[in-house]
Amino acid sequence: MATKNVWIAGLVPPVMLAVLLLTAASPRVKANDAANAEVKIDNFSFGPQSVTVPVGATVTWTNRDDIPHTVVSTEGVFKSKVRDTDEKFSYTFAKAGTYPYYCTIHPKMTGQIVVQ
Amino acid sequence: MANNKQDLIDQNLQDLNNDGVDRRGFLKCMAWAGTGLVWTMSGGIPVSRAFAKGYGKDAAKSGDFTFVQISDSHIGFNKPANPDVTATLQTAINKINAMQHKPDFIIHTGDLSQLSKPSEFDTLDQVLKGASPKQIYFVPGEHDMLSDNGDEYLQRYGKGTKGTGWYSFDQKGVHFVGLVNVANLKAGGMGSLGQDQLEWLENDLKGRSASTPVVLFAHIPLWTIYPDWGWGTDDSEQALSYVKRFGSVTVLNGHIHQIMQKVEGKVSFHTAMSTAFPQPAPGSAPSAGPMKVPAEQLQQVLGITDVNYVVSGRSLAVVDSPLGASSPLASGKETEW
Ligand SMILES: [Cu+2]
């Protein structure tokens, strides 16, 4: 029993490492600066309302209204502090998925980031 | 975007006209009559009353009283059209201090601050300290709940309140309820009271006589004014169902920085002007952001609301007065709604 455990423990790390390298390699290459995205907050709306980015991309929100807003993931993934005029918030998406978000001050303001 | 401005106004007028009173004519008439819009609820039928004739002169029987609603002071805001919101709040307080009939208290219907900063609340306190009514009741606006789930607000203004800051009190036989509809807002929604607060409200009103006049106040309107801009409260219908049996219900709100009123049965709804900056009429601008007006017009679009309670008939009269001395209402100009 003891021997078997040791054998498994010894085998797994190289396998895991290989898997990690495989999954990490392709997105990392694509997620250069050009893949990053900007979302502008104008007139109480997020524009564009839906943005698609590759895994590893950074999305930056800029509030261009005279009124403060927040950028908060509906599922609790990210949460900005209050962003007043011209203040920014960035989040780097490490995992694929669809991330709906909204402004907690003006909940009619909603958007989503699709990470592929 | 379904509603354009005209549709909305017509809809409001229809609501107003449910009782058979030609309110369009009524509002015009009142605009002619005095310094503000006045209406008195008496058995559910609005009776016009000229502010110019004055509550202070002919009323003030024992038991009658006055309170003032101020709203949306947004201390900390410093952009066009108002780089000095502290000064305009001060003007509002001066106006209150100069009132002929001293108000018993002030109600502030939220957005005290712009960013919930301690320094902004400090400035507000400093100005309010100079108000002659020493009792001031608050409810938070969404701008007051921006730090640590509203802790800063609750520590300063929420002592003895429940949940996120709701409470009730009685004044000379009138029951007042301060509600919070700006906390824990859901994505895609409007204002929200939440289940805990609704249950509390139901219990708070239970057992009270139907003849007790009730005043509900909250930041975001408790009636749906313009859903596209979130100008309403998702679960307000539930709250209003608890007050249906009462003979006189007045609902006072802020948030939209302009006067809107509606009468529905025995319930009259009213929103107040801001003391800081105006906002556009529903659907008349790309968004609800601050409306920029020429400096000389600013004081005509900011103001306070004066509410008189008259014991005989258990009625409440709501009077809006702009901060500026030469208001378009006082000058006899017609105001279209
Ligand atoms: Cu917002």
Side-chain angles (χ1 to χ4, degrees):
Chain A
M1 286 298 281
T3 314
K4 199 179 175 187
N5 280 342
V6 169
W7 182 79
I8 290 166
L11 181 66
V12 168
V15 173
M16 275 178 63
L17 186 64
V19 170
L20 279 172
L21 284 171
L22 276 171
T23 52
S26 50
R28 285 257 164 79
V29 173
K30 276 190 220 153
N32 52 23
D33 281 355
N36 293 338
E38 299 274 334
V39 177
K40 306 273 187 236
I41 304 175
D42 275 310
N43 284 320
F44 290 60
S45 57
F46 297 106
Q49 202 264 342
S50 180
V51 175
T52 301
V53 294
V55 173
T58 298
V59 177
T60 302
W61 287 262
T62 307
N63 180 13
R64 303 204 298 193
D65 271 347
D66 289 346
I67 284 290
H69 298 291
T70 62
V71 179
V72 177
S73 157
T74 311
E75 279 134 21
V77 180
F78 51 89
K79 184 179 194 294
S80 80
K81 289 191 175 131
V82 174
R83 302 290 78 193
D84 204 357
T85 308
D86 294 331
E87 289 183 334
K88 291 172 192 287
F89 170 69
S90 292
Y91 187 79
T92 302
F93 291 87
K95 273 165 68 180
T98 297
Y99 299 85
Y101 66 91
Y102 71 120
C103 167
T104 51
I105 311 172
H106 312 104
K108 282 277 171 187
M109 295 171 58
T110 59
Q112 65 170 10
I113 306 296
V114 180
V115 182
Q116 292 175 339
Chain B
M1 305 305 134
N3 286 345
N4 64 30
K5 189 185 168 194
Q6 195 54 48
D7 287 340
L8 190 103
I9 288 166
D10 286 341
Q11 185 197 318
N12 281 348
L13 280 168
Q14 266 172 15
D15 286 329
L16 286 168
N17 286 342
N18 274 346
D19 56 5
V21 176
D22 179 4
R23 204 60 47 84
R24 188 191 291 267
F26 172 67
L27 288 173
K28 276 185 188 172
C29 166
M30 292 322 300
W32 275 92
T35 55
L37 297 170
V38 189
W39 44 273
T40 302
M41 289 301 293
S42 176
I45 307 295
V47 178
S48 67
R49 220 161 74 99
F51 186 48
K53 283 182 188 147
Y55 170 79
K57 282 179 201 158
D58 58 9
K61 295 186 205 82
S62 75
D64 294 357
F65 69 97
T66 297
F67 66 93
V68 178
Q69 178 192 6
I70 57 173
S71 201
D72 297 271
S73 48
H74 285 266
I75 298 298
F77 180 87
N78 56 10
K79 302 184 178 78
N82 189 355
D84 194 352
V85 296
T86 307
T88 49
L89 175 64
Q90 186 61 60
T91 306
I93 297 302
N94 294 347
K95 208 172 157 65
I96 293 166
N97 290 348
M99 280 170 66
Q100 211 179 348
H101 187 85
K102 290 276 168 263
D104 278 25
F105 56 86
I106 296 174
I107 286 179
H108 193 311
T109 44
D111 280 357
L112 288 57
S113 70
Q114 178 70 355
L115 296 168
S116 309
K117 287 182 183 166
S119 60
E120 296 172 347
F121 290 130
D122 286 346
T123 303
L124 177 89
D125 293 344
Q126 204 56 42
V127 176
L128 294 184
K129 216 183 271 176
S132 59
K134 289 304 161 203
Q135 181 69 56
I136 305 179
Y137 295 97
F138 299 90
V139 283
E142 70 280 4
H143 285 255
D144 304 317
M145 304 292 262
L146 300 181
S147 63
D148 310 315
N149 294 319
D151 281 357
E152 187 71 37
Y153 169 88
L154 286 170
Q155 274 169 27
R156 287 167 183 258
Y157 308 102
K159 289 202 181 74
T161 64
K162 309 268 189 309
T164 49
W166 60 81
Y167 58 98
S168 68
F169 63 95
D170 293 280
Q171 179 83 5
K172 296 177 181 166
V174 180
H175 188 61
F176 290 81
V177 187
L179 297 172
V180 180
N181 54 5
V182 297
N184 309 313
L185 302 182
K186 304 278 173 303
M190 304 193 289
S192 169
L193 294 160
Q195 204 47 45
D196 289 355
Q197 187 170 200
L198 286 168
E199 277 170 28
W200 172 85
L201 177 66
E202 188 178 17
N203 280 320
D204 179 77
L205 295 171
K206 211 175 260 170
R208 288 180 199 281
S209 150
S211 63
T212 310
V214 175
V215 176
L216 303 181
F217 59 102
H219 179 65
I220 298 177
L222 290 168
W223 44 304
T224 303
I225 292 178
Y226 197 61
D228 286 352
W229 287 357
W231 286 4
T233 301
D234 285 327
D235 47 8
S236 61
E237 280 302 315
Q238 186 71 38
L240 294 170
S241 73
Y242 303 145
V243 297
K244 279 222 167 81
R245 67 185 179 87
F246 290 91
S248 161
V249 180
T250 306
V251 179
L252 302 175
N253 300 118
H255 187 61
I256 67 169
H257 298 213
Q258 62 197 288
I259 301 164
M260 289 259 171
Q261 4 196 19
K262 180 176 87 152
V263 178
E264 216 174 72
K266 307 234 168 90
V267 186
S268 45
F269 299 84
H270 183 276
T271 65
M273 287 180 274
S274 162
T275 66
F277 56 85
Q279 279 176 238
S284 69
S287 78
M291 199 164 84
K292 291 154 185 89
V293 297
E296 64 273 16
Q297 276 172 33
L298 183 64
Q299 298 232 325
Q300 270 114 63
V301 287
L302 307 179
I304 60 171
T305 301
D306 170 21
V307 184
N308 302 323
Y309 171 63
V310 184
V311 169
S312 53
R314 294 198 174 88
S315 57
L316 287 141
V318 180
V319 182
D320 298 293
S321 333
L323 294 184
S326 62
S327 80
L329 298 180
S331 68
K333 204 176 119 197
E334 289 186 356
T335 306
E336 283 294 346
W337 280 64

